[in-house]
């Protein structure tokens, strides 16, 4: 996994990171398209957890947000000034967000230390990400943050979907494809939250995920097009993706479904322990073996080079012509 310490071939294989500590509370990375209601969802979930006397630990990773409706424990805006980054590097909005995240990554080990040190005071660590989802999910900094968290404690990805926008079958398929790509990129427990259920009940979306024919019927209601035909084909491909996926209907406005979200996160933590930990251990074992093999290879090359040099010196000493040199008058 990325984000793990490396070692040179001439040093011992590191054992500084003993692996994820499953006794720590889970880290919950909240993702979603712009306008899906990520920040409102985090605010409502935070209020819900405070009401249950199990407060969360909150990390804001959006440098461009003007005002947050919830208290923050760690805020990227305290470390990186978004507008200053735009001016200094001559960047646009998205470029400045990615650069801000990159700068934050250079100090993220400090963030990890704080999250771990405060683990006894919170029930879960919520990480609110930028509205421009691609700036986090497809950037090196997003991978480093996600992998670093997952290598320290149980980590769950929550993908927030706007229920009103996915009422259109092709929009629904676009969201599901993006969710699928994030799942297979991170390989972490995944929960889809259909937000804004007070506006549109997402029962239709949950039926589409379980019944291919019903989704096809919804597509047939519109005019036949390349997008509808493609969506119909993709729905068959995504059957495996839907099979073990956790879905929850919520409303950040009314608070509906927040208990279900907490239950889905708890179930995802158990999945993390059963499925992610073995993958992590196997990955680290393979990395350790590769490092040891590389170290042995370099040591063997050094031994051969030393032997060649020693042989070359010995041959020179024996076969090189010897010429007497006299200083002063030659002996009679």
């Amino acid at each position: 996994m990325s984000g793990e310490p490396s070692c040179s071939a001439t040093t011992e294989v590191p054992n500084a990171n003993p692996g994820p500590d499953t006794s720590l509370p889970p880290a919950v990375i909240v993702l979603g398209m712009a306008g899906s209601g990520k920040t409102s969802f985090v605010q409502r979930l935070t209020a819900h957890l405070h009401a249950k006397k199990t407060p969360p630990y909150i990390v804001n990773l959006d440098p461009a947000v003007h005002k947050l409706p919830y208290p923050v424990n760690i805020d990227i805006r305290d470390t990186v000034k978004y507008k200053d980054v735009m001016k200094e590097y001559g960047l646009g909005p998205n470029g400045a967000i990615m650069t801000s995240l990159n700068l934050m990554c250079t100090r993220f080990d400090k963030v990890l230390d704080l999250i771990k040190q405060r683990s006894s005071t919170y029930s879960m660590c919520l990480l609110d990400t930028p509205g421009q989802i691609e700036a986090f999910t497809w950037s090196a900094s997003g991978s480093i943050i996600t992998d670093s968290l997952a290598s320290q404690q149980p980590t769950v990805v929550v993908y927030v979907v706007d229920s009103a926008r996915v009422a259109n079958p092709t929009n629904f398929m676009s969201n599901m494809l993006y969710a699928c790509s994030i799942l297979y990129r991170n390989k972490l427990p995944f929960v889809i939250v259909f937000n804004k259920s007070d506006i549109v009940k997402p029962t239709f979306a949950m039926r589409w995920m379980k019944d291919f024919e019903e989704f096809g019927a919804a597509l047939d209601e519109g005019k036949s097009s390349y997008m509808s035909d493609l969506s119909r084909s993709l729905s068959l491909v995504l059957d495996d993706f839907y099979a073990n996926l956790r879905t929850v209907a919520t409303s950040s406005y009314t608070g509906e479904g927040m208990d279900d979200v907490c239950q889905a996160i708890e179930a995802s933590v158990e999945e993390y322990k059963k499925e992610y930990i073995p993958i992590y251990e196997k990955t680290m074992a393979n990395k350790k073996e590769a490092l040891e093999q590389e170290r042995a290879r370099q040591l063997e090359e050094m031994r051969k080079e030393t032997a060649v040099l020693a042989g070359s010196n010995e041959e020179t000493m024996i076969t090189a012509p010897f010429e007497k040199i006299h200083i002063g008058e030659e002996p009679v």
Side-chain angles (χ1 to χ4, degrees):
M1 291 179 58
S2 58
E4 291 300 317
S6 61
C7 99
S8 64
T10 57
T11 59
E12 294 298 325
V13 176
N15 194 28
N17 188 352
D21 185 352
T22 56
S23 66
L24 294 176
V28 180
I29 302 173
V30 181
L31 302 173
M33 298 289 189
S36 61
K38 294 187 301 297
T39 299
S40 298
F41 170 78
V42 172
Q43 186 273 332
R44 175 58 71 174
L45 182 56
T46 299
H48 178 76
L49 292 171
H50 275 285
K52 294 176 64 177
K53 308 298 183 184
T54 56
Y57 194 82
I58 304 179
V59 179
N60 172 47
L61 294 175
D62 187 353
V65 67
H66 292 289
K67 187 177 180 181
L68 290 171
Y70 51 77
V72 182
N73 298 99
I74 299 176
D75 195 336
I76 188 175
R77 298 175 300 172
D78 295 335
T79 304
V80 182
K81 302 302 180 184
Y82 171 70
K83 290 186 177 180
D84 291 346
V85 170
M86 290 183 69
K87 292 178 182 178
E88 183 176 351
Y89 296 98
L91 299 171
N94 287 352
I97 290 174
M98 293 184 67
T99 302
S100 298
L101 285 170
N102 291 340
L103 293 171
M104 182 70 171
C105 271
T106 63
R107 305 286 300 277
F108 200 71
D109 58 325
K110 306 297 183 185
V111 176
L112 291 173
D113 290 341
L114 287 171
I115 292 173
K116 190 171 185 178
Q117 290 170 10
R118 304 290 190 272
S119 61
S120 61
T121 64
Y122 63 85
S123 58
M124 66 178 69
C125 177
L126 298 176
L127 292 94
D128 194 5
T129 58
Q132 289 79 355
I133 183 173
E134 66 280 355
F136 184 86
T137 55
W138 300 110
S139 65
S141 54
S143 296
I144 290 171
I145 290 171
T146 302
D147 292 344
S148 299
L149 280 167
S151 63
Q152 174 176 278
Q153 64 197 96
T155 303
V156 179
V157 175
V158 169
Y159 183 75
V160 181
V161 177
D162 185 339
S163 298
R165 289 186 180 179
V166 298
N168 181 298
T170 54
N171 289 346
F172 168 81
M173 183 54 61
S174 297
N175 268 269
M176 292 302 103
L177 282 175
Y178 209 103
C180 181
S181 66
I182 295 171
L183 171 64
Y184 287 107
R185 177 177 172 83
N186 296 323
K187 297 181 177 64
L188 288 169
F190 201 85
V191 179
I192 291 185
V193 169
F194 289 101
N195 197 21
K196 304 182 183 181
S197 62
D198 56 303
I199 300 175
V200 175
K201 290 291 183 184
T203 50
F204 66 91
M206 297 181 180
R207 290 198 305 270
W208 288 348
M209 296 170 74
K210 295 179 180 178
D211 191 338
F212 162 77
E213 292 183 357
E214 186 159 349
F215 178 73
L219 285 170
D220 290 337
E221 290 178 4
K223 295 181 180 179
S224 178
S225 66
Y226 172 77
M227 280 302 299
S228 61
D229 293 341
L230 178 61
S231 296
R232 185 177 291 103
S233 300
L234 289 172
S235 64
L236 286 172
V237 176
L238 293 181
D239 269 348
D240 289 339
F241 170 65
Y242 295 148
N244 300 311
L245 196 62
R246 295 180 180 85
T247 58
V248 182
T250 67
S251 169
S252 298
Y253 180 71
T254 65
E256 174 192 351
M258 291 301 154
D259 281 326
D260 295 335
V261 170
C262 294
Q263 291 174 9
I265 291 173
E266 289 177 6
S268 297
V269 170
E270 294 304 313
E271 178 186 340
Y272 171 92
K273 294 176 182 178
K274 293 178 181 178
E275 297 186 12
Y276 180 82
I277 293 292
I279 294 175
Y280 175 86
E281 291 174 346
K282 182 178 180 180
T283 301
M284 293 306 296
N286 291 341
K287 176 182 280 191
K288 182 177 180 180
E289 182 180 356
L291 287 170
E292 289 175 342
Q293 290 176 354
E294 178 64 14
R295 180 173 182 269
R297 185 188 66 79
Q298 292 193 8
L299 287 174
E300 179 65 17
E301 287 184 357
M302 291 172 60
R303 187 190 65 78
K304 290 180 179 179
E305 289 175 2
T306 303
V308 169
L309 289 173
S312 176
N313 290 338
E314 182 179 356
E315 183 179 351
T316 302
M317 291 174 64
I318 296 173
T319 62
F322 178 73
E323 180 182 355
K324 293 182 179 181
I325 301 176
H326 301 282
I327 300 176
E329 295 182 358
E330 292 187 5
V332 179

